[in-house]
Amino acid sequence: MLTIFILSSTLLLVSAEPVSLTFEVNPATVPGDSAVYVVGNIQALGQWRHEDALRLSQVEPGAWRGALEVAVGTEMAFKVTCGSWGTEALLPDGSIPADTWITVASDTVVIISVDAWKNESEQISGGVTGDVHRHTAFHSDIMGRARDIWVLLPRSYADSTGKRYPVLYMHDGRNAFDPALSYAGVDWQVDEVVDSLTAKGELPELMVVAIDNTPQRSMEYADTTLGELYAQFIVEELKPYIDEQYRTLPSRDHTAVMGSSMGGLISFLLAWWYPDVFGHAACLSPAF
């Protein structure tokens, strides 16, 4: 069971000072030697990455607490886990809850009771289908940082050495192929879907380039200076590299971009800003 209470002090109508946000989690048990974490969509909660999530401290048996400061008006989503997406707090029926959204208007205490956790061993099975090449820590001079890139090659790539392929660029790349890397423990199964559709003749063979996000995801995927730099990185650094290393069809007619939520927004912006590069954009649940 997952029960959440939110207690706020008097509303601060106008304030330049940050306010405190405290999480108190009261689990019936905690698996093994695990700790309790709050992971969410803001940087202080790890941008959905457990390695940077808020680790709570055990203040007494069955009580964990952690605090941070946020700006007044911060809108945020979060979940409670024991350090991975395989150990989320569950609803009474054993299902995984949706993200909890709050707007922090004043000093706030969020009290969460947890009676059950997802069992790590019960994660959805499955893995990578097909030939996926991982380019670890692909550096960008434009962005000033590195990120991982995954490239899914078509089934005929190794044997059809004279053939070139269209390319689909995808954001939030760690979610594309591998459930072990996906933020929720369940991947988008892009590799399986591509296989299925090409086998049916409903999709031409194509290459998929999945680009990892960073803790600055919200700004990189928006109409911001950082978003413009991210787009420039793809067009001026990543795409030329992919076109050089792999047998691609580099024209706009054979180049597409795809993403969901903020990834849907930056996909639209890439096609808007660079219509000579991207001939197609798939914007799923775009955060307009």
Side-chain angles (χ1 to χ4, degrees), residues 193-211:
V193 172
V194 167
D195 261 358
S196 174
L197 294 180
T198 53
K200 295 176 183 178
E202 297 177 6
L203 187 74
E205 283 195 298
L206 54 80
M207 191 179 304
V208 181
V209 178
I211 310 165

Side-chain angles (χ1 to χ4, degrees), residues 2 65 91 99 105-106 114 164 172 182 255:
L2 182 66
R65 183 177 301 151
L91 293 172
D99 304 339
S106 59
V114 179
R164 292 184 172 271
D172 292 313
S182 173
T255 305

Side-chain angles (χ1 to χ4, degrees), residues 89-103:
L90 297 177
L91 293 172
D93 63 359
S95 63
I96 298 173
D99 304 339
T100 298
W101 282 87
I102 62 173
T103 300

